[in-house]
Amino acid sequence: MSHPLQQQIGNVRGRIVRLVLIHGLSWVIGAGLVAVMLTGLSDFLVRFEDRGLRVMATLVVWGVLTWTGYRYLFAGLSVRLDNVELARRLGREFPGLGDGLPSAVEFLGQSEDDPTAGSSALRRAVIAQITADAGRLDFLRAI
């Protein structure tokens, strides 16, 4: 079972992914509707008789869908935030935590008996202090 601090950061990450997905899908649907409406309006006004013009108009609609899908869905969902980077960003939103939040998250990822990580008692104290401070904050508000 993961630490409560890791669970809070995991909840924030899940909310971010959902919001990016909703934002991207909204752009794709909106741009697709506008492209279809403009193509339909131009077909109505000009009366495309040539099959090639209709194919090009269809390709323009597919191009708009592809570009907005790449720009808003793929680009947004391909950004991977590890726990420490997300903790840094949350630390900037909640200055009262300072650099303690990313440090505590990084300490949680280290083994207890790692000789290069420093004092295990100090790491446990930092984790306990930041967990207590973070328990009073609503990280989802930072989104």
Side-chain angles (χ1 to χ4, degrees), residues 5 8 96-102 104-105 125-135:
L5 199 55
Q8 278 183 301
L97 294 176
D99 290 335
L101 183 61
V105 170
V126 168
I127 291 170
Q129 177 64 40
I130 295 299
T131 302
D133 292 345

Side-chain angles (χ1 to χ4, degrees), residues 19-108:
L19 287 176
V20 167
L21 185 64
I22 290 169
H23 179 259
L25 286 175
S26 299
W27 268 101
V28 170
I29 291 169
L33 287 174
V34 168
V36 167
M37 288 172 48
L38 288 176
T39 303
L41 180 65
S42 63
D43 183 25
F44 176 76
L45 294 175
V46 178
R47 302 273 187 212
F48 296 153
E49 296 297 330
D50 185 27
R51 184 181 300 259
L53 286 176
R54 289 180 186 255
V55 168
M56 285 192 302
T58 303
L59 289 176
V60 166
V61 170
W62 280 109
V64 167
L65 288 172
T66 302
W67 182 81
T68 55
Y70 175 78
R71 169 71 172 84
Y72 293 102
L73 275 176
F74 179 74
L77 292 175
S78 65
V79 174
R80 297 287 178 224
L81 293 175
D82 62 343
N83 284 347
V84 177
E85 178 60 30
L86 187 55
R88 274 192 197 103
R89 291 182 185 209
L90 287 171
R92 284 193 295 261
E93 291 295 321
F94 299 101
L97 294 176
D99 290 335
L101 183 61
S103 298
V105 170
E106 193 166 2
F107 290 157
L108 285 170

